[in-house]
Amino acid sequence: MKAIIAEKPSVAREIAQLLGVHEKKEGYLSGNGYCVTWALGHLIALGMPENYGIRGFNKASLPIFPNPFILTPKKLKTAKGYEPDPSALKQLNTIKQVINQCSSIIVATDAGREGELIFRYIYHYIQCNKPFERLWISSLTEKAIQDGFKNLQPGEAFDGLYQAAKARSEADWLVGINATQALTIAGNQDVYSLGRVQTPTLALICQRFLQNQNFTKQKYFQIQLNHRKEYTDFISLSLLQWEEKKQTEQIQKSIEREGRAVVEDVSITTVKEQSPLLFDLTELQKEANRKLGLSADEVLKVAQSLYEKKFITYPRTGSKYIPEDLWAEIPELVRILNTNDQFKSAISTLKFGNFNKRIVNDVKVTDHHGLLITTKVPSALTATEKAIYEMIAYRLLESLSHACTKQVSQIMIKVHHYEFQIKGSKILEKGWRAIKGILSDNEILNDAEALTELPEFKIGDELKISKTELLKKTTQPPKLYTEADLLSAMENAGSSIENKEEKQALSTIGIGTPATRASIIETLLSRNYIIRKSKTLHPTDKGLQTYNLVKDKKIVNVQITAEWEIALDRIEKGELNKDQFMNDIQHYTAEITSELLSLHIPQENIPQIKCPKCQQHHLIIKDKIVKCPDEQCSWILFRTICGIQLSIKDLTLLLTQNKTSLIKNMKSKNGKKFDAFIILKNDFSTSFEFGSRN
């Protein structure tokens, strides 16, 4: 018998069905020489400090360097602290039973760093030493799974992948646990959470927010001229910008008196816009955030669902290319799309036998190739799944199209000694832009002008000025990050580095990986460091406070984080020893722990207030909760109510006079805003009291 371990029950069922394994057991399927079981994501995690006998936050214990790291079953947070997850324990027991009755193992967890780590941690935790092979597939279609089983690879071929995953896991533990405890101790037990990737990402958001807030807007003026030539109307814009309105008006009047301009320079260039490459996960998340308003996490969940339904290939990819051997399957994917009326018009612009091969590059394919649809025709999709599927399908068709060719004109004209510019562009060959019929897309076009066809110009031509206009403009602050912008900033973190050699080395390395960036953003949201407002990300007061505490410290250094991603990649390829990397991490952890412990954090003036219920003990007032220290009393109040955090002033009013001041802009479950007083009732629970306006 062979044991097969998948990452999720749904994937296990797909594999079992294909192998003729039909007998249902408790936590696995059996038959035809196989036992097919599954993990439930991460069943095993690295132990917490208490597993090493370190309880509470103690300065003398830092930095904590476990040797070796202890593996423990997944835990759940409860009122009494962290306790083992019963469903994780049950499934671990099942996996152990399945492996005990089998001679060898086939690893079918997701083909990537995390999937490898999920299996290896289970393997080591249950102290297994049976041989294992690896199923490495990029889609869950029948053909992909069958091909995968024909080409099972020895488990040791993925030792580098496991070492990189293990190094990433342990490095995150060392930095996250030590930095969090150090800053919390410095902050007098007000809990702060820091992390290897989380904190540099928070820094990006805070830096952009502060640049936006501190920006001083400046007014300036430009002059626009209207012209007509050969029955075509067009405009020109002054190259100069003036600060003084009076001065600009005088120049405008002198131009009106002149009434004509002379063509000084004519530049006409042919520009080829290459077709876009396939989506990798980050690019898909950015596009879906811009076009559909979806968060990175939502996109990942939808893509994972489409993958498990066998409609698209493996989504957690960092590549936009496919290998040469997959090229032969592309025409079949196009033919399948052609059975759908929606894509017929787009496909009619493609030339079968003359597809653009730009997406084929063996060297640039990482663990997985760029995102593709599969040969399975989609059915019963939700609206969001349909939208994401269509994005991936259209991107495939665009990538197979040829370049879009444009003629871009820049005409320089002069009135007196003032220069004005006329811009225009026209499409010569639509190429890939014919797929969706979008011929002007300001995110992609270099000139932010709409397509404008201009008449012919020669140097020395005179142009009549039919109208002049004074344009009042204002300099704009840097825009706050949308999730799409933040993903780009994380992806291109290396580009902010000034040293040219280092910048070149880190040009393709960001912070985090395509598979983890969504969870980093969600972590910052869940820890109340950032919030979503409309489509943009704003730091909270707590986020800004944390950033201000650590902004000059090593833990926010984007360059170090990006360099670690390079090191992890080298460990995966066998070019770097994991122990050497971990020694560097320990040295770095010791430095940041020392830096953070030396901080002096001024304390918020927290009043001494007796518990309203037992009247015996002073309340513990934290960032998120207010509670009685007596377990018998156990009175607790969450400080954030309907999206608004209660200030110390309002907490004091509530607990001493049973009523806060009027709290504005609270948000109900259906998203409506309201104002209300919060009152403390006789049973010590809270309620709302509405003013006459509500």
Side-chain angles (χ1 to χ4, degrees):
M1 290 277 275
K2 286 192 173 186
I4 299 174
I5 301 178
E7 192 161 318
K8 291 180 179 174
S10 57
V11 178
R13 284 192 289 271
E14 289 289 344
I15 292 170
Q17 190 177 348
L18 194 66
L19 297 175
V21 180
H22 301 303
E23 195 180 337
K24 288 185 179 176
K25 305 272 190 172
E26 185 74 30
Y28 69 101
L29 296 132
S30 178
N32 205 17
Y34 295 102
C35 284
V36 185
T37 187
W38 53 84
L40 300 164
H42 283 276
L43 291 177
I44 300 294
L46 296 177
M48 296 305 281
E50 52 265 32
N51 294 112
Y52 304 95
I54 301 166
R55 298 199 174 275
F57 287 15
N58 185 348
K59 189 174 181 178
S61 303
L62 297 181
I64 305 165
F65 293 139
N67 186 22
F69 276 90
I70 293 169
L71 295 176
T72 65
K74 180 185 170 187
K75 288 185 168 65
L76 293 175
K77 196 171 186 179
T78 67
K80 295 178 182 176
Y82 286 91
E83 299 197 348
D85 178 350
S87 60
L89 291 174
K90 186 180 177 185
Q91 194 55 26
L92 273 171
N93 199 35
T94 300
I95 292 170
K96 194 170 184 178
Q97 283 175 20
V98 165
I99 286 175
N100 283 343
Q101 57 186 295
C102 294
S103 56
S104 65
I105 304 162
I106 295 170
V107 185
T109 49
D110 280 0
R113 253 190 222 167
E114 288 312 294
E116 192 67 24
L117 193 67
I118 284 168
F119 165 71
R120 298 279 189 131
Y121 272 180
I122 293 169
Y123 185 82
H124 291 300
Y125 178 75
I126 63 175
Q127 299 181 330
C128 182
N129 55 13
K130 291 187 177 178
F132 59 91
E133 296 173 288
R134 190 62 159 103
L135 175 73
W136 193 267
I137 52 176
S138 284
S139 90
L140 290 173
T141 59
E142 199 170 305
K143 183 180 182 302
I145 295 171
Q146 284 172 340
D147 289 348
F149 271 97
K150 285 176 194 165
N151 296 292
L152 290 172
Q153 298 179 56
E156 61 265 23
F158 298 90
D159 283 352
L161 183 70
Y162 165 56
Q163 290 300 329
K166 189 167 182 267
R168 196 273 312 148
S169 173
E170 292 176 1
D172 282 350
W173 192 102
L174 289 176
V175 175
I177 295 289
N178 284 295
T180 295
Q181 291 210 6
L183 194 57
T184 299
I185 289 165
N188 252 347
Q189 304 303 315
D190 198 3
V191 178
Y192 295 89
S193 163
L194 301 179
R196 178 181 72 91
V197 182
Q198 170 195 320
T199 306
T201 305
L202 174 64
L204 287 173
I205 297 165
C206 291
Q207 284 159 4
R208 176 59 62 89
F209 177 80
L210 292 169
Q211 286 165 1
N212 176 281
Q213 296 295 295
N214 299 332
F215 185 83
T216 306
K217 288 187 176 183
Q218 291 181 320
K219 290 177 187 170
Y220 67 94
F221 300 89
Q222 279 182 290
I223 298 171
Q224 180 178 290
L225 309 180
N226 288 43
H227 313 275
R228 184 173 175 82
K229 185 175 192 271
E230 295 169 14
Y231 307 106
T232 304
D233 293 309
F234 52 93
I235 59 166
S236 62
L237 188 66
S238 64
L239 289 184
L240 282 176
Q241 299 171 357
W242 295 276
E243 289 177 17
E244 297 294 327
K245 187 177 181 182
K246 245 184 183 175
Q247 180 196 6
T248 317
E249 285 173 338
Q250 287 169 354
I251 294 165
Q252 183 187 8
K253 280 175 185 167
S254 75
I255 287 168
E256 280 175 351
R257 285 194 297 271
E258 179 67 20
R260 63 189 182 85
V262 179
V263 175
E264 280 256 305
D265 186 49
V266 177
S267 167
I268 298 173
T269 53
T270 302
V271 175
K272 281 199 169 189
E273 265 184 353
Q274 288 296 344
S275 56
L277 296 164
L278 297 173
F279 282 126
D280 63 2
L281 177 60
T282 302
E283 201 61 37
L284 178 69
Q285 287 168 321
K286 282 153 61 176
E287 187 83 351
N289 180 251
R290 278 195 289 260
K291 301 282 170 69
L292 305 173
L294 296 174
S295 73
D297 192 51
E298 285 169 332
V299 177
L300 178 55
K301 282 174 180 164
V302 172
Q304 185 69 24
S305 168
L306 287 168
Y307 168 66
E308 288 173 20
K309 290 175 179 176
K310 303 190 274 193
F311 299 139
I312 66 166
T313 56
Y314 186 66
R316 287 176 165 86
T317 176
S319 177
K320 298 176 182 179
Y321 296 88
I322 61 167
E324 181 72 48
D325 61 9
L326 200 57
W327 179 247
E329 295 177 29
I330 296 298
E332 180 60 21
L333 298 182
V334 178
R335 275 191 281 273
I336 281 159
L337 286 178
N338 207 24
T339 62
N340 185 330
D341 289 343
Q342 184 178 348
F343 299 106
K344 280 186 174 173
S345 168
I347 291 168
S348 68
T349 68
L350 286 172
K351 296 185 182 88
F352 275 84
N354 188 27
F355 289 165
N356 186 348
K357 251 185 123 173
R358 190 163 170 254
I359 57 172
V360 177
N361 191 324
D362 285 330
V363 176
K364 291 191 176 179
V365 174
T366 51
D367 290 345
H368 296 280
H369 54 70
L371 263 167
L372 291 170
I373 60 161
T374 67
T375 51
K376 188 175 179 186
V377 177
S379 58
L381 297 183
T382 65
T384 314
E385 285 175 338
K386 185 172 184 288
I388 296 291
Y389 178 85
E390 285 171 4
M391 272 189 170
I392 295 165
Y394 275 122
R395 178 53 70 94
L396 167 63
L397 298 177
E398 286 176 340
S399 74
L400 299 175
S401 306
H402 289 273
C404 168
T405 310
K406 290 185 306 170
Q407 183 178 286
V408 178
S409 305
Q410 285 197 28
I411 317 299
M412 201 69 73
I413 63 173
K414 224 177 198 181
V415 188
H416 301 313
H417 62 280
Y418 301 109
E419 289 186 316
F420 289 76
Q421 191 175 56
I422 303 164
K423 282 185 175 183
S425 60
K426 69 175 180 181
I427 300 284
L428 301 177
E429 286 177 46
K430 292 179 181 176
W432 65 273
R433 286 193 172 276
I435 292 294
K436 285 193 279 192
I438 301 171
L439 298 180
S440 176
D441 184 345
N442 291 348
E443 288 167 12
I444 300 169
L445 284 174
N446 293 327
D447 51 319
E449 310 267 326
L451 293 166
T452 312
E453 287 207 35
L454 296 172
E456 280 192 25
F457 295 96
K458 298 194 303 290
I459 292 173
D461 280 353
E462 282 195 0
L463 290 178
K464 192 178 173 190
I465 299 166
S466 56
K467 184 185 169 190
T468 70
E469 205 175 328
L470 189 71
L471 304 181
K472 182 181 174 182
K473 297 188 175 182
T474 311
T475 55
Q476 294 302 308
K479 287 182 180 174
L480 294 175
Y481 281 128
T482 61
E483 223 155 306
D485 298 333
L486 180 62
L487 288 166
S488 286
M490 292 170 79
E491 190 177 27
N492 301 308
S495 63
S496 62
I497 293 158
E498 289 176 11
N499 180 303
K500 279 187 179 176
E501 286 178 17
E502 288 174 354
K503 186 172 180 174
Q504 181 62 33
L506 297 173
S507 61
T508 57
I509 297 290
I511 52 177
T513 64
T516 60
R517 286 177 190 134
S519 66
I520 294 158
I521 296 169
E522 292 303 314
T523 297
L524 290 172
L525 285 159
S526 70
R527 294 197 168 142
N528 194 31
Y529 280 155
I530 62 172
I531 52 170
R532 289 189 182 101
K533 277 191 186 176
S534 187
K535 288 186 174 180
T536 54
L537 298 169
H538 295 237
T540 60
D541 290 345
K542 183 181 180 183
L544 282 169
Q545 183 193 22
T546 305
Y547 167 69
N548 283 322
L549 287 170
V550 299
K551 64 184 177 185
D552 302 322
K553 306 294 180 242
K554 280 193 168 182
I555 193 159
V556 299
N557 191 324
V558 165
Q559 182 178 342
I560 290 174
T561 311
E563 284 170 353
W564 285 0
E565 298 297 346
I566 291 177
L568 292 169
D569 192 51
R570 289 184 62 210
I571 292 170
E572 190 172 319
K573 290 172 181 168
E575 297 168 3
L576 178 68
N577 184 285
K578 172 187 172 276
D579 293 343
Q580 187 183 329
F581 171 75
M582 291 309 297
N583 283 340
D584 291 344
I585 294 288
Q586 285 199 8
H587 180 71
Y588 168 83
T589 301
E591 281 187 64
I592 59 166
T593 303
S594 172
E595 275 186 347
L596 295 170
L597 283 171
S598 67
L599 285 173
H600 171 68
I601 304 172
Q603 294 301 299
E604 188 178 24
N605 276 333
I606 295 173
Q608 294 269 305
I609 302 173
K610 282 238 168 103
C611 172
K613 186 179 173 185
C614 70
Q615 292 290 324
Q616 297 295 312
H617 303 276
H618 284 117
L619 292 170
I620 296 168
I621 300 175
K622 297 271 192 178
D623 183 52
K624 289 185 178 178
I625 61 165
V626 180
K627 66 175 184 177
C628 180
D630 184 357
E631 284 188 17
Q632 296 296 314
C633 171
S634 72
W635 184 83
I636 190 166
L637 170 74
F638 290 95
R639 270 183 79 171
T640 300
I641 299 174
C642 294
I644 301 290
Q645 186 189 45
L646 291 185
S647 66
I648 290 293
K649 179 187 167 188
D650 275 315
L651 268 178
T652 307
L653 285 171
L654 178 68
L655 297 167
T656 57
Q657 297 175 31
N658 298 343
K659 185 176 176 180
T660 65
S661 61
L662 184 68
I663 296 174
K664 296 187 174 183
N665 295 322
M666 287 191 280
K667 198 181 269 188
S668 65
K669 284 182 182 175
N670 61 10
K672 288 186 178 175
K673 290 192 174 178
F674 68 96
D675 304 344
F677 300 94
I678 295 170
I679 58 168
L680 191 67
K681 298 198 296 187
N682 291 337
D683 64 355
F684 310 110
S685 66
T686 54
S687 184
F688 298 114
E689 182 181 287
F690 297 100
S692 56
R693 192 160 63 82
N694 291 71

